């Protein structure tokens, strides 16, 4: 489903700063009830690289920070191997609340629908306007949907892209690497992911310093 239409959650008020925008996001009710809190983007305004994931997971929902669970640890490792300092980049999600299905004590991640992605799209765009990165990296299909406003097959479009006039880059979501069952395939996928990170770092340096 295309997501270019006006975001369902577009507010009437104007925001003068990322802080004000984040305060409004933090006060938003989750579209699908259940999340503990909104998980805001993290990192400096003016960062050369912004990474956009799908939505917070279980750990992110508990800790209130993006990419701090298993996928986040893998992302951290790949950034480090590519010479990217996580503290100098901006990390956020297309959808700001964790959606899950409760199974016993476990909260099982549920993929956001296109409508849910559209609901948060205006907020993500505004957030990126404030951060103004040299390059924005879509981690996986949901981030691509949010940034491009339409579904794009990841594997065929992996690499440089443009999202609404913003320099972009499409790669896989780190959790996809965690799901590869055999070691050899997982290792190869990890190396490809690090190669993407190195490319992103090089591209970001063409106009800003990462
Ligand atoms: N997956 C995401 O897409 N975002 C997070 O913050 C954590 C896991």
């Amino acid at each position: 489903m295309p997501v270019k239409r006006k975001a369902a959650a577009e507010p009437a008020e104007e925001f003068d700063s990322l802080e004000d925008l984040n305060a409004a996001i933090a006060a938003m009710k989750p579209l699908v009830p259940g999340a503990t809190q909104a998980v805001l983007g993290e990192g400096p305004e003016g960062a050369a690289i912004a990474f956009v994931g799908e939505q917070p997971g279980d750990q992110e929902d508990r800790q209130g920070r993006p990419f701090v669970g298993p996928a986040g640890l893998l992302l951290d490792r790949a950034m480090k191997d590519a010479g990217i300092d996580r503290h100098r980049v901006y990390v956020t999600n297309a959808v700001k609340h964790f959606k899950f299905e409760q199974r016993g004590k476990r909260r099982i991640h549920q993929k956001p629908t296109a409508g849910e992605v559209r609901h948060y799209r205006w907020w993500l765009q505004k957030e990126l306007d404030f951060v103004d990165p040299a390059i924005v990296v879509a981690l996986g299909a949901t981030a691509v949907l949010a940034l491009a406003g339409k579904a794009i097959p990841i594997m065929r479009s992996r690499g440089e892209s443009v999202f609404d006039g913003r320099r972009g880059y499409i790669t896989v979501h780190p959790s996809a690497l965690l799901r590869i069952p055999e070691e050899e395939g997982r290792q190869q996928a990890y190396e490809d992911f690090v190669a993407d990170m190195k490319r992103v770092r090089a591209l970001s340096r063409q106009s800003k310093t990462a």
Side-chain angles (χ1 to χ4, degrees), residues 53-57 60 66-67 71 93 173:
E54 181 194 77
Q55 69 171 342
E60 289 78 13
F67 282 102
N93 281 301
H173 192 284

